[in-house]
Amino acid sequence: INVGIIFLHAVGIVLWQNSHVKKNAGFADIAELISSTKDAYINGAGFGTAKRRAAYIGDDDDDKVSMEAVNYRPPKSGGSGAGAAAKDTATSGGEQEAAAASGNVFHMIDEDDISLPNDDGGGVGSIIPVDLTVNFLKRIQRAPGAPPEPPVAPSASAARPPEDFLPVVTPSEVTFRWAHRTRTGSRFEQYSAIKAYRIVVRLASTSSDGGGGAIVWDSGMVPVSDEEGGGVPDSVDWGRDVPPAVGQILLWKVQIWDGDDLKSSSTWSKFAVGPESENDWKGKWIAHPSDMDTFDRDKSAKSDPHDCTVWKRRRPLPLFRAKISSKDWRNDDEANDPVASALLVISGLGSFRASFDGVPLSTSGPIDPPFTDYSKRVMYRGFDLTPFVAESASQDHVVGVTLGSGWWDHRPVSGMAKPKLLPRGPATVIAQVVVTYASGRTRIVGGTGMNDWQTARGHIRESDLFTGEMVDLGVLGDMEGWDTPPMWKESTATSTGETDPYNEINKWVGATNYVTEVTLEERMQEMALKSQAMERSDAKKFPSRRKFAAPIGKLVPHSIPPVMAMERIAADEIHDLGGGRWL
């Protein structure tokens, strides 16, 4: 009986496989197919997990490569690594001057050697490059457990952000890494050796139907040695003498030649280049004027930043917004040098959620940025605004920022948490938009502290890691569309004139710069004394500070992906407890 059962089971698998696995489908992993079939069933029932999981794992299907045969033609030899930069030539007269002015001189490459970004990788080689990362960071198109899109105002943009997480690197540190996967049906002689690889980097662009812009760097076909110590390197650094420009959004792909000299390509991945030094930031940290006053001894009766009475004066939490005029985007030579991409770089303390034209830019949060010693180091995010620019390049746009407390200005508590060891200041944000043109030139617009940024108290009464978040739904409804162009209203006020913070709700005033007289050295000594790591007799004396908010450290890109929803779990039972409470 057991033998019969096993025989019938084996026959069933073969019949099922023949009916579900297409010839030359590129893979024959039964477990994967069973999983995808189950996901399709669940997705049909309304759970919607299959597409999200595929988007996260595959990153635009970068691991699904077409098995369609193509005419193989070896690429033109271009040298290896940085040496390929020596053959760079300018594109044309006008573009040469524009590109040279920014230090980014692009060179022409035969398009037959490079697939467009909307392809599926392609090639017939046995080794497929997958899982492309830059500085160990991978683009996440959609978090697997991302919640449904929240309702947006009727005045919000129809455009949507292209990903949940965009890797951001600095110009001085750009390192490419990838993995390999063997194509199903390949011979051992093919995939047992890699003869060469090639990396191509190009500008992202709003034009050419997503086909990308000018080539920024091409490594050329780099031979791989079979000798001891040879092989494909674990990582490949940026190969040009001129680093990429701050603000550029770049596409990149890898090509691999196997033992039979057959080529396979990855799909295009994406990353952005963010500010590295203080000089790269034109935006400044800004705050609500009333919040900043609570950290000024000349304007506040109490000078203890951890006093609960003073803390309540900074609630509800502030919203920030700025209008970016269409003339700020446009180039004087629009016809010959149009906008290629736009990048928002932003951070906020304690936590932030960014929107653009009324559309949330990520499903992550409200736990951005990651927890660090904010007096030393604060991480920032990058968001691709190109779809919004492509949708309405001739219109005005609005950047919106919703702030939470995080570990920065949380409710004062006592006990084991020791919150007084943490830096504290008013809710604050820093942001700027970098526009990149087809020539590679960049321009900073919409920076905090340099544009007319407005702030008002909003719908979040409290957003705390200890006590949770409280949202005033009435205020949320009354302020619907506050971060969209139609709802923008100019304001020249610098103060609300109110003493009750609840009277400052939806009253927009000009934001003020974040100001403190406290130095990092003083802050570190204060922490050492409070943690009893220093004797008071050894402490250095500092003058009395009138403006005593904590100092804010250096801005660096996210070194890890943000906290995101990995799975959504539905409740088995829901009980109405009355009084607006649910279990």
Side-chain angles (χ1 to χ4, degrees):
I1 294 175
N2 290 337
V3 173
I5 292 175
I6 294 173
F7 175 77
L8 291 175
H9 179 68
V11 171
I13 290 179
V14 172
L15 292 175
W16 185 90
Q17 181 174 355
N18 289 335
S19 63
H20 287 77
V21 183
K22 296 179 181 180
K23 292 183 178 180
N24 296 331
F27 61 86
D29 189 333
I30 300 301
E32 181 179 346
L33 288 174
I34 292 174
S35 176
S36 65
T37 305
K38 178 193 72 174
D39 286 344
Y41 174 78
I42 294 175
N43 189 44
F47 289 90
T49 58
K51 290 183 178 179
R52 294 192 183 104
R53 187 180 297 114
Y56 175 73
I57 297 174
D59 190 9
D60 286 341
D61 295 332
D62 65 355
D63 61 343
K64 298 175 183 177
V65 181
S66 171
M67 287 293 291
E68 226 174 73
V70 296
N71 293 325
Y72 169 72
R73 183 170 65 84
K76 301 180 179 73
S77 177
S80 62
K87 65 184 182 68
D88 290 358
T89 58
T91 57
S92 64
E95 293 182 358
Q96 179 177 1
E97 294 178 3
S102 66
N104 289 279
V105 181
F106 306 131
H107 58 281
M108 299 299 290
I109 292 182
D110 190 338
E111 289 294 337
D112 290 339
D113 285 344
I114 302 170
S115 304
L116 294 179
N118 57 7
D119 70 3
D120 62 354
V124 295
S126 62
I127 303 172
I128 306 169
V130 296
D131 294 334
L132 277 62
T133 66
V134 181
N135 293 6
F136 294 107
L137 297 173
K138 182 179 180 180
R139 174 180 178 262
I140 300 175
Q141 183 184 16
R142 185 75 170 169
E149 180 181 289
V152 297
S155 55
S157 170
R160 292 296 181 267
E163 60 266 317
D164 271 352
F165 176 66
L166 175 65
V168 178
V169 301
T170 56
S172 65
E173 186 179 1
V174 184
T175 302
F176 304 101
R177 293 177 175 87
W178 66 92
H180 299 127
R181 195 193 70 178
T182 303
R183 191 185 300 277
T184 301
S186 300
R187 305 188 323 274
F188 173 78
E189 293 78 13
Q190 287 180 296
Y191 61 75
S192 60
I194 295 177
K195 289 196 172 182
Y197 70 88
R198 181 188 190 188
I199 298 175
V200 179
V201 184
R202 72 189 313 165
L203 284 178
S205 175
T206 60
S207 61
S208 303
D209 298 324
I215 301 300
V216 179
W217 176 53
D218 176 19
S219 70
M221 187 176 177
V222 182
V224 174
S225 172
D226 291 332
E227 299 176 1
E228 185 177 355
V232 177
D234 294 332
S235 61
V236 177
D237 294 330
W238 181 264
R240 288 192 62 196
D241 293 335
V242 178
V246 171
Q248 289 182 340
I249 300 176
L250 300 173
L251 306 173
W252 73 288
K253 72 183 304 181
V254 180
Q255 296 174 337
I256 295 293
W257 283 263
D258 65 12
D260 284 353
D261 278 332
L262 296 178
K263 178 181 67 175
S264 289
S265 297
S266 69
T267 54
W268 292 87
S269 189
K270 184 167 69 169
F271 67 97
V273 184
E276 183 168 18
S277 67
E278 187 176 348
N279 294 332
D280 295 330
W281 284 95
K282 301 302 180 186
K284 306 298 180 184
W285 289 100
I286 57 173
H288 192 290
S290 299
D291 289 352
M292 201 71 248
D293 287 347
T294 63
F295 288 86
D296 188 337
R297 286 190 171 88
D298 295 330
K299 299 179 181 179
S300 178
K302 295 184 177 181
S303 59
D304 182 5
H306 303 282
D307 183 88
C308 196
T309 303
V310 178
W311 176 84
K312 289 181 179 179
R313 289 173 53 192
R314 299 191 290 272
R315 298 297 177 277
L317 286 147
L319 307 172
F320 292 84
R321 68 181 183 183
K323 183 176 72 173
I324 303 177
S325 172
S326 59
K327 64 181 180 181
D328 294 332
W329 298 95
R330 306 296 290 273
N331 186 19
D332 296 335
D333 189 14
E334 183 71 19
N336 297 321
D337 197 14
V339 172
S341 64
L343 175 70
L344 170 67
V345 285
I346 180 172
S347 188
L349 295 174
S351 60
F352 74 92
R353 283 167 278 194
S355 62
F356 196 77
D357 290 348
V359 179
L361 292 179
S362 177
T363 59
S364 66
I367 317 179
D368 284 335
F371 179 48
T372 56
D373 185 344
Y374 300 134
S375 293
K376 292 183 177 181
R377 185 169 59 106
V378 179
M379 295 187 187
Y380 66 85
R381 289 282 303 273
F383 298 100
D384 185 357
L385 303 181
T386 308
F388 299 90
V389 179
E391 179 199 35
S392 53
S394 60
Q395 299 179 10
D396 296 340
H397 299 274
V398 172
V399 180
V401 186
T402 304
L403 290 182
S405 302
W407 291 102
W408 177 249
D409 193 24
H410 52 78
R411 174 183 284 273
V413 294
S414 58
M416 293 179 62
K418 303 292 184 183
K420 292 188 177 183
L421 296 179
L422 303 176
R424 185 183 289 271
T428 179
V429 64
I430 186 170
Q432 64 188 31
V433 177
V434 187
V435 181
T436 300
Y437 300 97
S439 64
R441 296 188 309 108
T442 60
R443 176 192 295 179
I444 296 177
V445 299
T448 48
M450 61 179 281
N451 279 54
D452 295 329
W453 277 76
Q454 298 178 354
T455 181
R457 300 205 184 276
H459 55 280
I460 298 184
R461 292 194 172 189
E462 187 171 337
S463 175
D464 196 90
L465 293 172
F466 295 103
T467 57
E469 184 168 276
M470 298 170 56
V471 177
D472 190 324
L473 297 179
V475 173
L476 181 63
D478 293 340
M479 296 185 68
E480 183 182 55
W482 63 271
D483 52 354
T484 64
M487 298 298 291
W488 175 270
K489 293 182 179 179
E490 298 293 340
S491 175
T492 57
T494 58
S495 173
T496 62
E498 300 284 352
T499 57
D500 184 354
Y502 282 89
N503 292 333
E504 295 181 312
I505 293 175
N506 205 13
K507 291 186 178 180
W508 293 94
V509 298
T512 188
N513 286 347
Y514 184 100
V515 179
T516 183
E517 297 173 353
V518 179
T519 63
L520 176 60
E521 181 186 11
E522 185 175 352
R523 156 72 191 149
M524 296 305 296
Q525 177 174 289
E526 177 191 18
M527 185 169 66
L529 291 172
K530 288 180 177 179
S531 62
Q532 300 181 358
M534 173 185 285
E535 297 291 340
R536 291 199 171 273
S537 58
D538 298 330
K540 180 180 178 180
K541 294 188 178 298
F542 292 95
S544 176
R545 306 299 188 185
R546 308 305 300 172
K547 303 180 188 301
F548 55 90
I552 301 177
K554 181 181 179 180
L555 283 157
V556 297
H558 260 241
S559 59
I560 56 173
V563 174
M564 289 183 170
M566 299 303 293
E567 184 179 0
R568 295 181 61 208
I569 303 175
D572 290 328
E573 299 178 14
I574 300 177
H575 301 276
D576 184 357
L577 303 181
R581 297 175 302 148
W582 299 81
L583 173 63

